Amino acid sequence: QTHLLSLSLQAKMSRPVQARRLEGIDKNIWVEFVKLAATYSTVNLGQGFPDFPPPDFLKEAFVRALSGENHMLHQYTRAFGHPPLVKILAQFFGKLLGRDLDPMTNVMVTVGAYQALFCCFQAFVDDGDEVIIIEPFFDCYEPMVKMAGGMPVFVPLRPKAPKDGKLMSSADWQLDPAELASKFSDRTKAIVLNSPNNPLGKVFSRGELEVIADLCVKYDVLCISDEVYEWLVYDGKEHIRIASLQGMWDRTVIIGSAGKTFSATGWKVGWTVGPNRLLQHLCTVHQNSVYHCATAAQEAVAQGFQRELKLYGKPESYFVQLPKELQQKRDWLVQSLDAVGMKPIIPEGTYFLVADISEFKSDVPDVPDSDEPYDSRFAKWMVKNKGLAAIPLSAFYCGAHKNNYNHFIRFCFAKEEATLKAANDILQKWKREKTNP
Ligand code: PMP
C-alpha cells in the first residue's frame, strides 16, 4: 500500500517542469487580444493582417503548385530554402543592394519572419550578451532575446511635439543619439532595427541609420534588421537598407516576410539575407529545429518574386500598387480619427497607425494603482463596449517602461473600405454620444 502511494506521488512529479528560460515570458499580447477580438469585435483593426485577398497572380501560383504536374512540390525540398525561391530572392535583393548574392549561402528561407528572428537570437546571443532594442518594438524581440540567455537593453524613440497644432508624424519620434550611444558597450552583441517600424510606422532616415551604423562598426555589433514592411512606405519616402551603408553588409541580417510583402500572412514564408559568415549559423539553428518550410508555398512565393522582378518599378508591380492603395486607406483612417479627436500619429510606413486616446479617457475609468497600463484597459473596454478592436501601445514596451506611453492605441489599416467605414461609423457614434450624453 505505502509502496503504491509513493509510486503515485512520484508519478505526479513534484519538481518544476518549466525550463528556467521560460520564466516571465508566459504572457503573450496576441494570444490575449486575438481572443478578445474574436469574442467581442464587430470591427477588427487589431492584429496586423489584411482582410483583403492576396493578388490573383500569387493565389494562382499556389493553386498551380498544388495541382500542377510537378507532384514533387508536395514533398520536402532543400532545407535552407526551395531552390527557385532562394535563386529569385538572391537576384531580387542583389539588385536592391547592388551586390552579387549567392542563392545557396546568402539567403535562407524561414517559417515567416518570426522564425528568422528566432534563428538570429539563437545563433548569435550567448548567456549574458546584451541586445539593444528600440522602443516601441515588435513585442517578440524581448522574449526571444531572453530565451537565448541574452539581456535586452532598451532605448526609446522620444516624441517631439509638432509645431503649429499640426498632427504628429511618426518622424517626430526620434532616437537621442547620445542616449543610444550610452547603451553600446563591449557587452553588446547585437541591435535589432525595425524600419519601417511596427507599431509607429516610422521609416528611419539615412541620417538616423548612419548613427546606428557608426555605433555598430565602432563596437563591432551585429544588426538584426527586421524589414518586413519594406514595400509599405508612403508620401514618396524611401526605405533605406542599413546593410547598404558603409561597413554594415558584413554584420547585418536582413529579415523579410512574404506575409507582409504579398498580403498572405497565413502562408508563413519568410527569409533572411546576409553574408555567409552570419547565415551559416542561422542554418545551424534551422537544421536543428524546424529543418524545412512548406514547399508549395515557397514555390508560389518564388513565382510572385519572378513576376515582380520583371515588373520592377512599373505601375503594374504589386510593390508599387499595394503602398498606393494602403496610403489611401491610411488617409481615410487618419481623417476618421482626427474628426472625432482621437489624434492620429501619421505613419510614414507599415499598415499601422497609432492614435492618442486622451480625449476619450473620461469614458473609461482609471483604476489607481492597477498593474495594468491604462491603454490596455482602454483597448479591452473599447472592444467589449464598442466592438472595435485595437492594440494598446504599451504592449510594445518592456515591463519597466509600459507606463511611460500609456495613452495610445494601435490600429491596423490593411482593411477593406467597408471595414474602415464600419470603424468610422463606430467612432462617429461614440463621439455623438459623448457630446450629447
Ligand atoms: N516583424 C515585424 C515587425 C512584424 O510586425 C511581424 C508580423 N506582425 C513579424 C516580424 C512576423 O512576420 P511573419 O508573419 O512573417 O512571421
Side-chain angles (χ1 to χ4, degrees):
Q1 189 90 29
T2 341
H3 177 65
L4 278 179
L5 188 66
S6 75
L7 263 183
S8 84
L9 279 177
Q10 258 176 21
K12 271 201 182 133
M13 270 186 87
S14 54
R15 65 176 176 172
V17 290
Q18 175 199 305
R20 272 194 304 279
R21 77 178 74 86
L22 301 190
E23 271 165 25
I25 61 167
D26 52 333
K27 283 226 171 65
N28 180 295
I29 173 80
W30 304 111
V31 174
E32 188 181 8
F33 273 85
V34 165
K35 193 169 160 202
L36 277 171
T39 314
Y40 298 105
S41 78
T42 45
V43 180
N44 185 359
L45 305 189
Q47 203 187 8
F49 60 87
D51 71 349
F52 47 80
D56 286 344
F57 67 82
L58 194 79
K59 288 193 292 184
E60 285 158 13
F62 207 164
V63 170
R64 273 198 307 276
L66 288 174
S67 54
E69 282 185 359
N70 184 2
H71 61 83
M72 291 314 286
L73 294 174
H74 294 276
Q75 306 306 329
Y76 292 135
T77 181
R78 179 175 165 270
F80 307 122
H82 186 47
L85 181 55
V86 288
K87 213 166 129 196
I88 190 69
L89 285 171
Q91 258 179 291
F92 206 101
F93 280 87
K95 184 182 169 87
L96 297 174
L97 294 161
R99 66 169 61 236
D100 274 343
L101 297 183
D102 173 8
M104 297 299 147
T105 59
N106 294 135
V107 182
M108 187 183 86
V109 175
T110 55
V111 182
Y114 249 102
Q115 194 225 338
L117 288 160
F118 187 77
C119 283
C120 285
F121 297 121
Q122 291 294 319
F124 303 137
V125 177
D126 263 326
D127 269 351
D129 281 349
E130 292 185 358
V131 177
I132 298 174
I133 296 175
I134 300 167
E135 287 178 319
F137 60 92
F138 181 49
D139 64 297
C140 74
Y141 304 154
E142 181 183 8
M144 283 195 191
V145 168
K146 287 182 173 163
M147 266 195 282
M151 283 261 301
V153 172
F154 300 97
V155 59
L157 289 165
R158 296 193 179 275
K160 281 195 294 191
K163 288 186 208 109
D164 320 324
K166 277 206 307 212
L167 286 175
M168 196 181 246
S169 145
S170 57
D172 294 321
W173 291 62
Q174 292 182 3
L175 286 170
D176 172 344
E179 188 178 18
L180 177 66
S182 76
K183 306 291 177 183
F184 280 77
S185 74
D186 53 12
R187 294 183 301 279
T188 314
K189 185 68 185 280
I191 181 167
V192 188
L193 173 70
N194 173 215
S195 181
N197 159 279
N198 174 11
L200 281 173
K202 178 181 174 66
V203 178
F204 284 69
S205 69
R206 186 174 291 277
E208 290 174 309
L209 293 176
E210 278 169 356
V211 170
I212 297 171
D214 288 350
L215 287 164
C216 287
V217 172
K218 182 172 171 193
Y219 289 90
D220 196 16
V221 161
L222 300 175
C223 180
I224 299 166
S225 185
D226 180 341
E227 302 183 27
V228 299
Y229 300 104
E230 61 191 322
W231 300 107
L232 308 184
V233 287
Y234 311 124
D235 307 321
K237 274 256 148 59
E238 188 194 357
H239 169 62
I240 296 166
R241 294 175 173 79
I242 196 165
S244 68
L245 302 190
Q246 183 105 42
M248 289 307 288
W249 165 253
D250 233 22
R251 57 181 70 251
T252 302
V253 176
I254 299 173
I255 293 176
S257 163
K260 309 295 173 174
T261 299
F262 288 115
S263 309
T265 57
W267 291 19
K268 291 298 287 187
V269 175
W271 56 84
T272 56
V273 173
N276 183 37
R277 79 174 194 107
L278 301 183
L279 256 69
Q280 61 179 336
H281 305 299
L282 303 187
C283 289
T284 306
V285 179
H286 187 76
Q287 78 196 4
N288 293 309
S289 49
V290 305
Y291 184 73
H292 176 278
C293 312
T295 309
Q298 291 190 67
E299 171 71 19
V301 172
Q303 292 191 18
F305 268 104
Q306 284 157 11
R307 174 192 189 270
E308 287 302 304
L309 186 62
K310 278 198 211 106
L311 296 176
Y312 185 73
K314 302 216 169 97
E316 311 92 282
S317 157
Y318 191 65
F319 300 167
V320 172
Q321 281 175 353
L322 180 64
K324 229 163 120 185
E325 278 169 33
L326 284 170
Q327 182 170 324
Q328 201 176 35
K329 293 177 190 294
R330 176 198 67 168
D331 293 344
W332 284 337
L333 188 59
V334 163
Q335 251 174 20
S336 294
L337 290 165
D338 193 28
V340 297
M342 201 178 271
K343 285 216 170 56
I345 300 169
I346 300 171
E348 307 153 273
T350 75
Y351 44 50
F352 300 114
L353 187 164
V354 171
D356 188 330
I357 53 174
S358 300
E359 280 195 29
F360 286 71
K361 271 184 161 175
S362 55
D363 285 358
V364 188
D366 204 352
V367 179
D369 304 323
S370 156
D371 279 345
E372 187 173 18
Y374 180 76
D375 59 351
S376 172
R377 217 139 13 83
F378 185 94
K380 285 180 189 168
W381 181 91
M382 188 170 81
V383 70
K384 286 179 188 167
N385 292 277
K386 302 290 171 189
L388 179 59
I391 306 290
L393 187 67
S394 60
F396 303 91
Y397 283 84
C398 73
H401 300 161
K402 280 196 190 302
N403 269 309
N404 295 1
Y405 299 96
N406 64 1
H407 57 286
F408 294 101
I409 52 176
R410 189 202 76 173
F411 294 98
C412 171
F413 57 81
K415 304 293 171 189
E416 299 273 18
E417 204 176 317
T419 314
L420 295 171
K421 194 176 168 307
N424 182 54
D425 292 346
I426 290 174
L427 290 166
Q428 292 284 344
K429 183 160 174 274
W430 189 359
K431 177 74 178 174
R432 277 198 304 275
E433 286 162 3
K434 272 170 76 65
T435 27
N436 311 305

